[in-house]
């Protein structure tokens, strides 16, 4: 471990920097967390920050083509519904007489509706006979944690 005091001056004064080194990355994170906790409890230290990324799970959505076709829904229709919910899509233009230019109409779920996996699984895909099916019944989901970026000095 290395603790150093950066020379005072703009833009910050008397910054304290702790750098943790070692062969085992997981152990580095544990020690860095302990140091962060100590600094949090130290009088006179007003702001503690660290450059360790939180785990960001990534989910992969895979259309079950067999289930979709058994329900009369194409894999493309299921994927398009998923894409519209998350990314949104243009639904046309609004022609306002008082406006010089047309106003685009863009459909997308609000952030709170597309941030929770359980909510996403309940979105319905409408089949050709008007019957709706939850995504959960037409797809499989996989979850993985990407590797964390490591901050190093050169």
């Amino acid at each position: 471990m290395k603790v150093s005091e950066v020379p005072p001056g703009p833009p910050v004064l008397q910054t304290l920097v702790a750098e943790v080194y070692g062969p085992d990355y997981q152990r580095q994170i544990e020690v860095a967390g302990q140091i962060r906790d100590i600094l949090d409890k130290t009088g006179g230290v007003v702001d503690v920050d660290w450059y360790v990324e939180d785990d960001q799970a990534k989910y992969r959505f895979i259309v079950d083509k067999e289930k979709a076709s058994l329900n009369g829904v194409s894999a493309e229709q299921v994927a398009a519904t998923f894409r519209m919910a998350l990314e949104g899509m243009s639904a046309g233009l609004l022609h306002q007489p008082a406006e010089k230019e047309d106003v685009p109409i863009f459909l997308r779920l609000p952030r709170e509706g597309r941030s929770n996996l359980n909510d996403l699984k309940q979105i319905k895909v409408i089949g050709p006979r008007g019957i709706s099916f939850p995504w959960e019944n037409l797809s499989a989901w996989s979850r993985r944690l990407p590797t964390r970026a490591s901050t190093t000095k050169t």
Side-chain angles (χ1 to χ4, degrees):
M1 179 179 87
K2 175 179 167 185
V3 177
S4 59
E5 188 174 339
V6 178
V12 294
L13 298 175
Q14 299 176 349
T15 300
L16 185 67
V17 177
E19 298 175 356
V20 180
Y21 300 93
D24 181 7
Y25 183 73
Q26 201 55 40
R27 183 71 181 130
Q28 287 177 1
I29 299 300
E30 289 172 20
V31 171
Q34 293 169 357
I35 293 169
R36 184 193 58 203
D37 293 343
I38 291 169
L39 290 173
D40 276 335
K41 296 173 187 170
T42 302
V45 176
V46 294
D47 188 25
V48 178
D49 195 10
W50 71 340
Y51 295 103
V52 177
E53 295 177 1
D54 289 336
D55 288 335
Q56 300 290 325
K58 292 200 177 201
Y59 293 92
R60 186 167 178 207
F61 165 70
I62 304 159
V63 177
D64 186 326
K65 292 178 183 179
E66 185 178 342
K67 284 183 182 177
S69 67
L70 287 172
N71 289 296
V73 180
S74 71
E76 290 78 20
Q77 185 178 359
V78 177
T81 304
F82 182 74
R83 195 170 32 259
M84 182 181 69
L86 292 178
E87 298 173 11
M89 68 178 280
S90 177
L93 297 172
L94 174 65
H95 306 285
Q96 293 276 28
E99 297 291 328
K100 291 182 181 179
E101 299 203 14
D102 295 333
V103 178
I105 301 169
F106 194 76
L107 297 175
R108 180 171 67 181
L109 285 176
R111 184 175 306 275
E112 56 275 2
R114 57 190 156 95
S115 299
N116 183 318
L117 184 61
N118 290 326
D119 291 342
L120 289 174
K121 287 180 178 180
Q122 296 309 310
I123 291 176
K124 309 284 192 245
V125 177
I126 307 222
R129 294 183 211 107
I131 300 170
S132 61
F133 306 95
W135 266 346
E136 190 169 36
N137 296 351
L138 303 172
S139 61
W141 298 81
S142 65
R143 178 181 188 266
R144 71 178 179 91
L145 293 175
T147 56
R148 290 181 179 171
S150 179
T151 305
T152 59
K153 291 175 76 173
T154 55

